[in-house]
Amino acid sequence: MGKGGQRRSGGAKSDRGRGGGRGGGSAGSGAGAGGGRGRGRRARETQTARVGGGSAELVPDPERAHGWSLLIEGAPQSYVDLDDPAHLNFEYQRRLGHVIDLAAPPGRPMQVLHLGGGALTLARYVAATRPRSTQQVVESDTALVDWIRIAMPLERGWRIRIRGGDAREVLGRLPQSWADLVIADVFAGARTPAHLTSTEFLHEVRRVLRGGGLYAANIADGPGGGDGGAARGRKRRPMEHLRSQVATVREVFAYTALTADPSVLRGKRFGNAVLLAGDRELPVAELTRRSAGDPHPGRVQSGDALALFAGGAAPVTDATAVPSPLPPDDVFR
């Protein structure tokens, strides 16, 4: 998700794709995380670096010999198992993994665009589960990318190109009908930038998708309060951002579905939701089955139920867009 308390089961955090922000800074010191297939074993100690988003850490997982968690400024961002890139540790990443699995027949190579990169968890997943796929990753924090490439190298033969820059700017330069799947997981700090929440942005996504292609977005929201992205001078209603994003996607795409923890959908806690859209029938039944079988079962809404969830929210345009809400102060504890 974007920001939420990332528990090991997967709380509310993003893969730290900050493709919508501006990268900066330089990689700091620290031995590589190492230890994956074909890599020499290295000390299992926390590694640190300075990246565009601040202080970054790679923390070893005591339960998995080659598992590492990426934290930025103390907030969990990504998890990677170098020996098992198909292992998705975070809740929202598992749900995006279901989308990847269902976007095409099993094993068929795809062309995938990732807006937001972080530790490249989902790009690694696609490469492991769909060999010969061609992928592009847009990540603005080039210092983070440089560090991750050294600390957790990609496998030789994976067709993954990483491009630095703003997600929407790079999206606008991609050719029409390039992607089978576009995944948006972009956070600047703890918020999705406003310019990646509008109908204008989604029309660019739709342009880049092939016929039958799918769009999936990681969205963070929760109970109202504060001004967290709401119009100035008023409190934000529960799930206001997520409801507006549902309305925005429904404005652009013919079919939409939403999957999240039921407590998140009810606005009881801050967390991640995965919004899926396309111009063809979506695999709702299978997504529902898989989400229900997760360690933290998710609920899927589509059709009339999703329209009811949107509750009359208006689609977002560039003129009305605001960043996603800040997570509560205690969400990462």
Side-chain angles (χ1 to χ4, degrees), residues 6-7 47 89 138 147 151 187 193 205 210 223 231-233 253 321 329:
Q6 200 74 17
R7 300 185 297 261
Q47 312 299 326
N89 203 49
V138 183
W147 184 50
F187 288 80
V205 170
R210 293 174 172 172
R232 193 181 310 173
F253 290 97
D329 292 339

Side-chain angles (χ1 to χ4, degrees), residues 21-44:
R22 298 288 180 181
S26 58
S29 61
R37 290 188 299 268
R39 304 179 184 88
R41 292 180 179 271
R42 304 177 188 174
R44 291 276 292 173

Side-chain angles (χ1 to χ4, degrees), residues 155-202:
E155 296 286 342
R156 288 194 180 122
W158 285 354
R159 302 173 181 178
I160 300 174
R161 179 186 180 188
I162 304 172
R163 305 175 64 161
D166 176 85
R168 185 158 166 181
E169 290 179 5
V170 175
L171 179 68
R173 298 197 297 269
L174 290 175
Q176 183 172 339
S177 303
W178 182 87
D180 298 299
L181 175 64
V182 175
I183 299 174
D185 187 14
V186 185
F187 288 80
R191 309 172 79 172
T192 300
H195 69 301
L196 303 181
T197 67
S198 67
T199 54
E200 291 90 340
F201 163 70
L202 288 176

Side-chain angles (χ1 to χ4, degrees), residues 16-333:
R16 194 42 159 198
R18 269 177 317 287
R22 298 288 180 181
S26 58
S29 61
R37 290 188 299 268
R39 304 179 184 88
R41 292 180 179 271
R42 304 177 188 174
R44 291 276 292 173
E45 298 176 353
T46 296
Q47 312 299 326
T48 62
R50 292 295 301 178
V51 300
S55 175
E57 297 175 278
L58 282 172
V59 180
D61 182 350
E63 298 179 11
R64 296 180 72 92
H66 304 297
W68 296 85
S69 293
L70 171 65
L71 286 72
I72 306 288
E73 291 293 302
Q77 303 295 330
S78 303
Y79 180 95
V80 171
D81 187 325
L82 292 170
D83 268 4
D84 185 8
H87 174 73
L88 299 177
N89 203 49
F90 291 170
E91 232 174 70
Y92 85 93
Q93 288 181 335
R94 280 194 296 271
R95 288 172 187 143
L96 285 169
H98 298 329
V99 171
I100 292 167
D101 293 343
L102 298 172
R108 176 183 292 179
M110 293 194 302
Q111 294 197 172
V112 183
L113 173 64
H114 303 264
L115 302 179
L120 310 174
T121 303
L122 293 172
R124 297 171 196 266
Y125 181 85
V126 171
T129 61
R130 295 182 176 276
R132 302 182 307 283
S133 291
T134 300
Q135 303 184 75
Q136 294 199 45
V137 180
V138 183
E139 172 58 66
S140 69
D141 194 336
T142 55
L144 174 62
V145 169
D146 291 343
W147 184 50
I148 291 297
R149 280 181 179 274
I150 295 170
M152 297 195 293
L154 300 173
E155 296 286 342
R156 288 194 180 122
W158 285 354
R159 302 173 181 178
I160 300 174
R161 179 186 180 188
I162 304 172
R163 305 175 64 161
D166 176 85
R168 185 158 166 181
E169 290 179 5
V170 175
L171 179 68
R173 298 197 297 269
L174 290 175
Q176 183 172 339
S177 303
W178 182 87
D180 298 299
L181 175 64
V182 175
I183 299 174
D185 187 14
V186 185
F187 288 80
R191 309 172 79 172
T192 300
H195 69 301
L196 303 181
T197 67
S198 67
T199 54
E200 291 90 340
F201 163 70
L202 288 176
H203 279 297
E204 278 298 294
V205 170
R206 192 167 181 260
R207 179 188 66 80
V208 169
L209 284 171
R210 293 174 172 172
L214 299 180
Y215 169 68
N218 175 29
I219 299 172
D221 203 358
D227 71 348
R232 193 181 310 173
R234 68 171 177 82
K235 289 189 175 182
R236 193 176 63 88
R237 296 188 296 273
M239 310 308 293
E240 181 174 321
H241 175 68
L242 181 57
R243 295 178 200 278
S244 72
Q245 287 304 286
V246 169
T248 305
V249 170
R250 285 169 56 86
E251 179 77 6
V252 176
F253 290 97
Y255 299 92
T256 55
L258 180 69
T259 177
D261 186 289
S263 65
V264 173
L265 292 177
R266 292 195 299 267
K268 298 299 184 182
R269 71 173 178 90
F270 198 95
N272 299 87
V274 170
L275 188 54
L276 176 63
D279 287 327
R280 64 170 170 91
E281 290 276 0
L282 303 177
V284 171
E286 183 61 17
L287 181 62
T288 299
R289 187 187 70 80
R290 294 186 182 214
S291 297
D294 282 337
H296 287 256
R299 178 184 299 167
V300 176
Q301 293 186 334
S302 63
D304 292 342
L306 189 55
L308 185 63
F309 174 84
V316 175
T317 67
D318 280 346
T320 61
V322 293
S324 65
L326 282 166
D329 292 339
D330 62 351
V331 77
F332 302 121
R333 293 174 192 166

